[in-house]
Amino acid sequence: VALNYMYILNPFIFDKMEIRNNQYILVIDEAHNLPEIAVSIMSDKLTASSIEQAFMEAKRYNVETAVNVSRKLMKIIRNTGKEKLLDKEELISIIEDTTGISIRRVADELISEGLNIRRKLAKRGRIPRSYVHRLGKFIKLLELSKNKRYYALILREGEIELSCFEPRILIKHTIMNKFTSVICLSGTIDEKSYRKITGLQPLKKVN
């Protein structure tokens, strides 16, 4: 069976696939791309434009929590000049102080309200896109990244990014624990560094 990287590395897709009891051998072509793709799946970012859209959508549908969060995030991004790191716990505290509820409740509420907005749009025959839902997904990842040192929160002019720099976490969950063997195909892999970055061991090199 030929699959896109996303079917294997995205936990929301992979966990729904019937891959059980190490029944399969995984062959990864262009395997040098694996770490970068894993990191991109575990990372997320919001642009100033998407936050502003979430603010307007939240006002339109009377989602007060989303209004308050998006307003605060817009203010933070606008006051950012050059690129800098922001402490994740600091941003979590700001969001909790702004809303008066826990970061988990904020994320769950925004995701739920966003799903409701998408349903309403679909019933009207419109594209079921919700910026409130998008905001909620980002905050959910922020909550999950709390106390995890392999996540960095980066502020830039016009965007805020939650970046993961430890691909081994995702690779272990989706690849190492679910397949009998993993065969990596690439003409540019350095064996030692690849093992260190991906956590795939032992690695047998074939010329």
Side-chain angles (χ1 to χ4, degrees), residues 124-136:
R124 298 174 194 163
R126 298 172 60 186
I127 297 173
R129 179 188 298 119
S130 170
Y131 292 95
V132 169
H133 184 268
R134 179 75 187 80
L135 178 60

Side-chain angles (χ1 to χ4, degrees), residues 186-205:
S186 176
T188 59
I189 285 177
D190 176 75
E191 179 184 353
K192 185 176 180 180
S193 61
Y194 195 76
R195 283 205 313 266
K196 184 176 181 180
I197 292 171
T198 63
L200 292 173
Q201 295 187 30
L203 188 68
K204 183 178 180 180
K205 187 175 181 180

Side-chain angles (χ1 to χ4, degrees), residues 58-123:
K59 290 191 73 174
R60 190 181 312 125
Y61 289 93
N62 196 29
V63 185
E64 184 179 355
T65 299
V67 170
N68 293 333
V69 172
S70 54
R71 182 190 288 121
K72 178 62 71 172
L73 288 177
M74 284 192 294
K75 183 177 180 181
I76 291 172
I77 290 179
R78 285 169 182 163
N79 292 337
T80 299
K82 60 181 181 179
E83 180 177 280
K84 66 178 182 179
L85 288 174
L86 178 66
D87 184 78
K88 298 192 301 293
E89 282 67 30
E90 180 181 345
L91 182 58
I92 289 172
S93 295
I94 290 172
I95 292 172
E96 290 180 335
D97 290 344
T98 299
T99 60
I101 58 178
S102 70
I103 190 72
R104 176 172 296 182
R105 284 186 59 191
V106 171
D108 291 346
E109 181 181 332
L110 267 56
I111 291 171
S112 177
E113 292 289 351
L115 288 173
N116 288 334
I117 291 169
R118 289 168 63 176
R119 292 188 190 99
K120 291 175 182 177
L121 291 171
K123 286 181 178 179

